Amino acid sequence: MSTQDTLASLASSLLDGSIKVVDCTAPLGPDTPLLKLPPELADDTPKIEIHEISKYGDRGPFWAWNWLKLGEHSGTHYDAPHHWITGKDFPDGSVDTIAPQNFVAPANVIDCTKESAADPDFLLTPEHIKAWEAEHGEIKEGEWVLMRTDWDQYNTDPDKFLNADETGPHTPGPNAEAIIYLMEEKKALGWGTQCIGTDAGAAGGFEIPFPAHNLLHKHNRYGLASLTNLSALPAKGAILVTAPLKIVNGTGSPIRALALVPTT
Ligand code: 23J
Ligand code: MN
């Protein structure tokens, strides 16, 4: 099939619904859960604010519009290499300089729902990933790897979403070796999760602090956080559209994450 035929086939499949568009995005507003870091370590991202400029009234008769106060790393969002010190020198490492070809890519969805429900500190390892590949097929260069935990079910309850106690947050994520495997051996495009960040809740205390951030961005690769609806995606076969806003020198951006999913 020619590439023109491929696109024509995609067009008709989108129109007849045999490829559906799944929204993998959480609502973005004042109630969106945000990352909390220990105050001695860092400032936090501010609460999201949506302010009315005008609404069909005296200040503009025919239109409504708002202005936002919004951290780059809020809600369902994209982490660019410049987010981390290990990726700071890549000339194409901010959201406005990343090649757009990277914003549309196949997704591998690793189901970790049982493990994460049994242990909120669950860490995905290279052994888990290799067992998943043996069952579903290899992860290929340039593809996303997404950790499905169904953590989006807690999105409306920030306490449950962050799951913190006196020892800190407890949410699942990858161990350092898993990210090393995905970057060095698989040459993956990046790593995405349904939790507040690409790293596990406890990752600030790991041997390499925040290994997903450290290692993804060191390889000029990308992260996705607070993804939703991964339960509607196949293990393989979906195409993920994840375009960050073109914020000048931006280290990340909220996205509307969309998955193209075959229904037949
Ligand atoms: C800064 C420091 C630690 C983390 C994060 C940001 C994120 O999760 C993020 O949004 O990139 S863990
Ligand atoms: Mn982020």
Side-chain angles (χ1 to χ4, degrees):
M1 190 157 61
S2 75
T3 52
Q4 276 170 17
D5 291 343
T6 305
L7 257 193
S9 164
L10 172 62
S12 63
S13 298
L14 284 166
L15 291 174
D16 71 20
S18 55
I19 291 176
K20 64 179 193 292
V21 179
V22 173
D23 195 351
C24 300
T25 318
L28 191 65
D31 298 329
T32 301
L34 297 172
L35 183 72
K36 274 199 191 63
L37 290 165
E40 65 278 11
L41 183 69
D43 286 346
D44 276 326
T45 207
K47 275 176 64 79
I48 297 171
E49 296 176 17
I50 302 177
H51 296 274
E52 189 179 300
I53 303 170
S54 65
K55 196 168 185 186
Y56 326 120
D58 296 344
R59 291 165 298 144
F62 309 135
W63 54 87
W65 50 0
N66 304 315
W67 66 271
L68 310 180
K69 181 168 168 181
L70 179 67
E72 292 174 328
H73 298 258
S74 300
T76 303
H77 76 272
Y78 192 97
D79 285 358
H82 283 188
H83 180 41
W84 220 253
I85 192 166
T86 49
K88 70 182 176 58
D89 293 325
F90 291 112
D92 56 350
S94 52
V95 286
D96 55 333
T97 55
I98 295 168
Q101 199 80 12
N102 293 309
F103 300 149
V104 183
N108 298 275
V109 182
I110 303 184
D111 186 352
C112 304
T113 51
K114 285 199 189 69
E115 296 88 339
S116 315
D119 175 12
D121 289 311
F122 170 71
L123 295 180
L124 188 73
T125 66
E127 292 65 43
H128 285 110
I129 300 173
K130 288 175 194 170
W132 181 92
E133 289 185 287
E135 188 180 344
H136 298 284
E138 273 210 64
I139 294 161
K140 299 206 197 71
E141 182 170 352
E143 296 184 340
W144 285 110
V145 178
L146 309 181
M147 183 181 194
R148 178 184 160 201
T149 54
D150 292 348
W151 217 255
D152 53 335
Q153 68 188 290
Y154 307 128
N155 237 312
T156 51
D157 182 350
D159 288 341
K160 195 82 178 87
F161 194 68
L162 299 172
N163 199 34
D165 61 17
E166 57 294 341
T167 67
H170 300 279
T171 53
N175 73 1
E177 290 71 26
I179 300 296
I180 291 169
Y181 174 68
L182 294 179
M183 293 293 99
E184 295 185 2
E185 287 188 50
K186 308 314 296 192
K187 312 228 173 299
L189 181 66
W191 163 261
T193 82
Q194 300 192 268
C195 296
I196 196 87
T198 53
D199 267 294
F206 291 179
E207 193 176 315
I208 304 172
F210 306 108
H213 285 85
N214 181 307
L215 298 164
L216 287 169
H217 304 321
K218 179 176 139 182
H219 286 89
N220 204 16
R221 289 308 195 186
Y222 319 117
L224 301 173
S226 296
L227 292 168
T228 69
N229 291 327
L230 296 187
S231 57
L233 271 54
K236 263 185 179 288
I239 293 188
L240 198 64
V241 182
T242 53
L245 298 179
K246 205 164 182 170
I247 300 167
V248 176
N249 297 323
T251 70
S253 164
I255 53 171
R256 188 69 180 257
L258 301 173
L260 307 186
V261 175
T263 58
T264 49

